[in-house]
Amino acid sequence: MDMLDKKDYSNIKYKRVNESTGKEVAYEDIVKGYKLDNRYVVLEDSDFEAIQLKKPKMIEIMNILLIK
């Protein structure tokens, strides 16, 4: 799903920038972490997969509004 500007439906772009260096970071170099006591606990994809989620991982689209 894309994020769009509600004024003209233009695509919104985001850069992944390291706040310390100001340099852009590639997706493959990004990890997820939880801040705890001023330190980060880094979580792997396997950590999220191990959690039994009650909600499905799929979104069902019932109606489509086409915008020109």
Side-chain angles (χ1 to χ4, degrees):
M1 189 173 296
D2 292 330
M3 291 192 288
L4 307 173
D5 186 324
K6 68 179 182 178
K7 296 175 189 169
D8 64 0
Y9 304 114
S10 293
N11 202 345
I12 303 299
K13 302 289 183 189
Y14 283 98
K15 286 189 175 185
R16 300 154 318 276
V17 177
N18 179 314
E19 74 176 26
S20 297
T21 65
K23 294 181 180 179
E24 192 165 355
V25 179
Y27 278 116
E28 59 268 11
D29 294 328
I30 296 175
V31 296
K32 294 179 179 132
Y34 179 78
K35 194 170 190 175
L36 181 67
D37 297 328
N38 254 0
R39 295 178 67 190
Y40 279 99
V41 176
V42 176
L43 302 169
E44 309 261 338
D45 288 340
S46 60
D47 296 318
F48 293 100
E49 291 168 4
I51 300 170
Q52 295 289 330
L53 297 176
K54 293 181 181 178
K55 296 181 181 180
K57 292 183 179 182
M58 194 168 40
I59 298 173
E60 183 177 352
I61 298 174
M62 303 298 288
N63 294 310
I64 298 175
L65 172 63
L66 298 177
I67 302 168
K68 292 184 180 183

